[in-house]
Amino acid sequence: MKAPQMSAAPFVPEHLSMRALREAAAGCQGCDLYEHATQTVFGEGPAHAKLVLVGEQPGDSEDLQGHPFVGPAGRVLREGMAAAGIDPAAAYITNAVKHFKFVQRGKRRIHATPKVYEIRACRPWLEAELEVVRPSLVVALGATAAQTLLGPTFRLTQHRGEVLRSELADRVMATLHPSAILRVPTEDRDETMRGFIADLRAAAKELAV
Ligand code: URA
């Protein structure tokens, strides 16, 4: 079956400013995800941040509140950043996909992984955000963000923590998604968190050079 041809490109304004992008993204219908999500969750943070962090897609809390990484994964992310000496307020934080994809189970909305064509459809927003921010380093959180930035053959297990070049940014590093830390068995959580913090420390060091 052929993947549907969908794209956010027609919704991206010609004049690239963060304000114009945010306003236009609020009305994006570049793929079907807008139909069930509450709202577009666009990136947030300083428009010329040296560091951009890219997650996968907003979760339930983010969809309801309209801000990226404000739920449980956001708490892990902020804890990791603080331990690595990175001020979360100094980073621009966004997602590869700007609408929450979920399946309804009774009253609960369960995260569903976006399809390749949905990630591709949303890419023009990430491209535009990176063109405005022009960060020194982009940190991809998890495989979806990493593959958006580094291509579908990128393997996090093989290249985690390496500084690589992408079509979208000169320097990209990939690490775990904070939700992955929440999913590991409790007995492995501290060690997984230490690895995440080590990657973020390496990112902070890259920013300092
Ligand atoms: N997970 C993500 O990838 N992004 C968010 O904003 C929240 C959870």
Side-chain angles (χ1 to χ4, degrees), residues 38 45 48 51-52 77 98 124 126 171 191 197:
T38 307
H48 300 294
L51 174 65
V52 168
L77 176 60
K98 308 296 197 245
L126 184 61
R171 297 197 306 158
E191 197 190 331
I197 293 167

Side-chain angles (χ1 to χ4, degrees), residues 41-42 54-63 67-74 77-78 93-97 100 111 141-142 144-145 177-179:
V41 179
F42 208 64
V54 184
E56 183 197 70
Q57 62 160 343
D60 186 67
S61 310
E62 290 78 14
D63 171 76
H67 305 289
F69 282 103
V70 288
L77 176 60
R78 273 157 237 278
I93 302 179
T94 192
N95 284 299
V97 172
F100 179 37
H111 165 279
L141 303 167
T144 297
H177 191 286
S179 298

